[in-house]
Structure formats: C-alpha cells, structure tokens
Amino acid sequence: MAYYVDIAISYKSEMEKTAKRINDYLVKDGWNVFYAPASQQEVLSENIHQKLYSVYKNESCLKVLLISASYLEGEWTSLEKRISLESTKEDRKRLLIVNYIERDLLPEELRTLVCLDGRKMREDEIACLITERLNMIYNKDKEEGRQKEQKREKEQTCTIINHGIIAGDNAHFGKIEF
C-alpha cells in the first residue's frame, strides 16, 4: 500500500524540540515525515480536523506518539491518538508509542500496549528504531505482494491441447469452450 507520508509524529508543544530532532534524523534518512511545523501550510490550507484525521488514519504508514504530561489533555493530540489507535488495531507494528511520563499515568488503552521509555532514550536512538520498523513494514509489504502475485500466477491454470495449442481459463476456439 502506498502512503502519502511514511511517518506521522504526534506530540504536544512541550515536546517540540524532541519531535524536531527526531524529524530531522528521519528526513536525513530519506523518510517522508508529517511533522506539524514542516506541514503547517498544508494543514492550515484545509480543515484541520479533516486533515489530521486523514493523515493519522489513512495517509501515514507509521504513527509515532510522543506522550508527555499535557499530551493526554490536548484537543489535537487526543484526536491524533484516537485515530492512530483505531487505524492500527489490526496491525500494531504501524504504531510506535514513546512515553515520557510515569507508566501509571498512562490511560488504560495505552498502558496495555508496548511503549518505549523516552526518558531513557536519545532522539537519534528513537529515529533509528523508527527506521528499523519502517524497513520491516515495507519489506513485509513487498514480500506479501510478491507472494500474492505468485499465488495469482499459480491460480491461472492453462491446459495444453493437441497440436501444442495452449488455452487459459475461459478460452474460446470457435464453438469449443474451455
């Protein structure tokens, strides 16, 4: 599946320095990142709710949530969190939560998920983990695509008939139907 952006970073303003550093590493690695300040013109030119909904639901491969003390109370970040959780319900590998608060303060819906402890990690380490995750996702998607293509090729049966004529499914030769 093709995505508009590889990564969407969700964070509250108190985490802007951290988010910017992570974004800078990812951009340097060649990833297409939805990072609010860099995408501000695009977001402001559309209905903000609709744009955020689209980005965090359909347009981004990996959603990265940087959970801080005020993150859980913010209007936009609550929307981004809700949509990210819902859109990755079937494939949690497309969600990466970096927690910067005490685990006990996380809401139940996040506490049950695996979270990185951002207080013990540097931005470059987080960016490396994001890159590893994306490479794994995209390689898996490529492999699944190859397997589907091979399966389709195997399912396309053909029959060799007298005189070397090859006919596939639903072939017609005059009044003869295969």
Side-chain angles (χ1 to χ4, degrees), residues 42-103:
E42 178 185 348
V43 171
L44 293 177
S45 68
E46 298 183 36
N47 177 310
I48 295 174
H49 276 95
Q50 289 177 348
K51 181 60 183 174
L52 293 176
Y53 180 85
S54 293
V55 167
Y56 287 93
K57 184 171 190 317
N58 304 315
E59 297 177 356
S60 57
C61 178
L62 180 65
K63 292 87 168 115
V64 178
L65 311 181
L66 305 179
I67 308 296
S68 62
S70 64
Y71 181 93
L72 301 169
E73 299 163 5
E75 177 185 356
W76 304 117
T77 51
S78 292
L79 173 71
E80 294 163 3
K81 174 183 65 78
R82 246 188 347 269
I83 296 166
S84 296
L85 288 172
E86 183 60 35
S87 68
T88 60
K89 195 180 283 186
E90 300 299 318
D91 187 2
R92 288 293 190 207
K93 290 181 181 76
R94 295 186 189 275
L95 177 67
L96 187 67
I97 300 170
V98 186
N99 182 26
Y100 291 90
I101 61 175
E102 292 297 321
R103 189 155 180 87

Side-chain angles (χ1 to χ4, degrees), residues 4 6 15-16 23 33 36 40 56 66 70 79 83 90 92 96 112 118-119 140 142 147 150 164 168 173-174:
Y4 177 69
D6 299 306
M15 296 298 297
E16 189 158 356
N23 172 70
V33 182
Q40 191 169 16
Y56 287 93
L66 305 179
S70 64
L79 173 71
I83 296 166
E90 300 299 318
R92 288 293 190 207
L96 187 67
T112 59
R119 297 168 298 175
K140 179 184 169 205
K142 283 182 195 173
Q147 288 173 355
Q150 288 172 348
F173 293 97

